[in-house]
Amino acid sequence: MKQAFLSSMTSLEEVQNYPAGVWINLVNPSQSESMEVAEEYQIDITDLRAPLDAEETSRIVHEENYKLIIVDIPITEERNNKTYYVTIPLGIILANDAIITTCLEKLPLLDHFIHGRQRNFYTFMKSRFVFQILYRNAQLYLSALRSIDRKSEEIESLLHEATRNEELIDLMELEKTIVYFKASLKMNERIAKKLANSTTILRKYEEDEDLLDDTLVETQQAIEMADIYGNILNSMTHAFAAVISNNQNTIMKTLALVTIVMSIPTMIFSAYGMNFKDNLLPFNDLPHAFWLVILAAFAVSLSLTFYFIKKRWF
C-alpha cells in the first residue's frame, strides 16, 4: 500500500502526485510501488525494501541522493488467541524533496501523525518529522513496558495456585519480549546519539535539539525499565516454577492421604466379603452386624483423618 501526504499550515491532505515536501508512506509495498518511488527519487531499491525484512537491524545509511534511517518499532501480535509484543523495522528515507517511510505492517505510530494527533507536525519539515517519529517511538516502548508489567502482575496473581505450565509459559513469553525490547532500544539509542552528535546527517534547529534530547532521555528510561522488568520477570519465572512444583507435590500428597484413608474400609469390607467354611468373623452372630462393620470402618477412617489433620498433612 502506498499513500502520499502533504502538509499545509492548517491541515494534512492526501495527494496523488509527488509535490515538494511530500510524505510517502509505504506499507508492505509491492515491487512495482517500490520501483516507482525508487525511480522518482533515485533511491537504491535494496535500501528502499530493506525495512521489509523483519530481521533487519537498526542503522543509518548516508548516500549521495538520500539518507536512510532504520529503527525498531514495537507492535502487538496475536498468537494462540493471546496478544504479545514484537518489534519490526521502520525505514525513514530523506530524499531531496520528500520523506519516505516504509514498513512491513501498518503502524499505530504513523497513524498518530496521519490522524493529526501530533502537534507542530509538517511533512516538509523533514528533520523535525524524523525526531518526532523517534520521540513517539520511545514513548511507545515505555507504554509497552508498562503494559508488560501489568500483564506480569495478572499472571503473578494466578501463579500462586497454579499447577499447570500455561501461566509459566506466558511469563516466559514476557521475559523473551523484554530481551528483544532491550536489544532494539539499545540500537535505537545508538541511532539517536549518532543523530545528536552529527551535523551532516540531519540539519537540526534549536527546537529540534530539545526534541532529540527528550528522545534520548525517554529511550534511556525505557532501557532502564526493561532492565528492571527483565530482572523481575527472570526472578518470578524461577520462583514460580518452584511454586508450581510445590503445588503439584501438595496435590499428590493429598491424593496419597485420601488413598490411605480409603484403604482402611476397603480392607475391612474385603475381609467380610470372603467365604469361610466356619464363618467366625467378629459381629457375625449379631443381628445388626452389617451396620456395625460400616460404623467400625467409618470410625477408623475418621480417626485416621483427624490424625492427619493434627499433623497438618492435609
Side-chain angles (χ1 to χ4, degrees):
M1 184 182 72
K2 180 185 67 175
Q3 292 177 295
F5 301 94
L6 183 66
S7 289
S8 65
M9 297 306 293
T10 57
S11 63
L12 179 71
E13 298 179 355
E14 187 169 357
V15 295
Q16 301 303 318
N17 53 0
Y18 304 135
V22 69
W23 166 30
I24 303 172
N25 183 34
L26 301 175
V27 179
N28 195 17
S30 64
Q31 187 70 25
S32 60
E33 289 174 332
S34 299
M35 288 296 299
E36 178 187 346
V37 174
E39 291 173 0
E40 178 72 24
Y41 294 101
Q42 299 180 353
I43 301 171
D44 188 339
I45 189 66
T46 304
D47 287 337
L48 186 63
R49 294 187 65 83
L52 304 183
D53 181 2
E55 304 300 324
E56 192 69 28
T57 57
S58 300
R59 67 180 191 275
I60 296 178
V61 177
H62 195 173
E63 298 291 346
E64 182 179 354
N65 298 320
Y66 62 91
K67 303 176 185 70
L68 168 64
I69 302 171
I70 299 179
V71 294
D72 283 333
I73 309 291
I75 63 168
T76 56
E77 180 181 81
E78 293 290 333
R79 295 199 306 270
N80 300 324
N81 297 322
K82 294 183 179 181
T83 302
Y84 299 99
Y85 280 99
V86 295
T87 60
I88 60 173
L90 168 66
I92 308 169
I93 300 175
L94 289 88
N96 292 330
D97 296 318
I99 184 168
I100 304 160
T101 55
T102 176
C103 193
L104 192 60
E105 298 183 20
K106 186 176 180 181
L107 298 176
L109 182 150
L110 296 181
D111 288 342
H112 183 78
F113 295 90
I114 292 173
H115 298 304
R117 293 194 291 268
Q118 177 66 44
R119 296 176 56 189
N120 300 321
F121 161 60
Y122 305 102
T123 58
F124 51 82
M125 301 180 71
K126 295 184 292 185
S127 297
R128 179 181 296 179
F129 187 14
V130 172
F131 300 145
Q132 287 172 331
I133 289 175
L134 296 178
Y135 180 71
R136 178 63 183 163
N137 187 36
Q139 290 182 321
L140 286 179
Y141 272 106
L142 288 172
S143 177
L145 287 167
R146 294 187 187 101
S147 177
I148 290 173
D149 185 47
R150 290 193 297 270
K151 180 65 176 177
S152 68
E153 290 177 355
E154 293 174 7
I155 296 174
E156 182 181 359
S157 64
L158 298 174
L159 276 168
H160 290 287
E161 302 297 332
T163 56
R164 299 178 302 169
N165 292 329
E166 184 177 354
E167 291 83 2
L168 196 59
I169 291 172
D170 288 340
L171 206 59
M172 292 172 65
E173 284 285 348
L174 294 182
E175 188 177 358
K176 183 170 69 173
T177 300
I178 292 289
V179 173
Y180 290 142
F181 271 21
K182 287 169 64 176
S184 297
L185 282 165
K186 288 178 179 178
M187 294 299 294
N188 289 354
E189 182 189 28
R190 188 178 304 172
I191 295 294
K193 286 182 177 179
K194 192 171 183 179
L195 292 175
N197 297 329
S198 174
T199 58
T200 59
I201 299 176
L202 291 178
R203 180 183 300 174
K204 297 187 287 292
Y205 300 95
E206 184 177 353
E207 57 271 22
D208 297 335
E209 293 278 4
D210 294 337
L211 184 58
L212 194 53
D213 288 341
D214 291 341
T215 301
L216 275 170
V217 170
E218 294 285 298
T219 303
Q220 289 166 355
Q221 181 182 350
I223 292 174
E224 291 174 1
M225 287 178 61
D227 284 332
I228 293 171
Y229 293 161
N231 292 334
I232 292 173
L233 285 172
N234 184 54
S235 300
M236 287 175 59
T237 301
H238 288 88
F240 284 112
V243 169
I244 289 177
S245 178
N246 288 338
N247 290 343
Q248 291 176 334
N249 290 339
T250 300
I251 291 175
M252 295 304 297
K253 183 182 73 173
T254 302
L255 292 175
L257 293 174
V258 170
T259 302
I260 292 172
V261 170
M262 295 301 298
S263 65
I264 301 300
T266 301
M267 293 171 60
I268 295 175
F269 299 152
S270 297
Y272 274 86
M274 295 180 182
N275 295 317
F276 296 98
K277 182 177 180 181
D278 296 318
N279 199 338
L280 300 177
L281 288 172
F283 311 122
N284 191 47
D285 54 341
L286 298 178
H288 301 292
F290 174 80
W291 296 110
L292 290 174
V293 171
I294 294 291
L295 182 61
F298 179 77
V300 174
S301 296
L302 190 61
S303 300
L304 192 59
T305 301
F306 284 143
Y307 174 78
F308 288 153
I309 291 174
K310 185 177 179 180
K311 290 289 186 179
R312 302 185 68 178
W313 290 355
F314 265 122

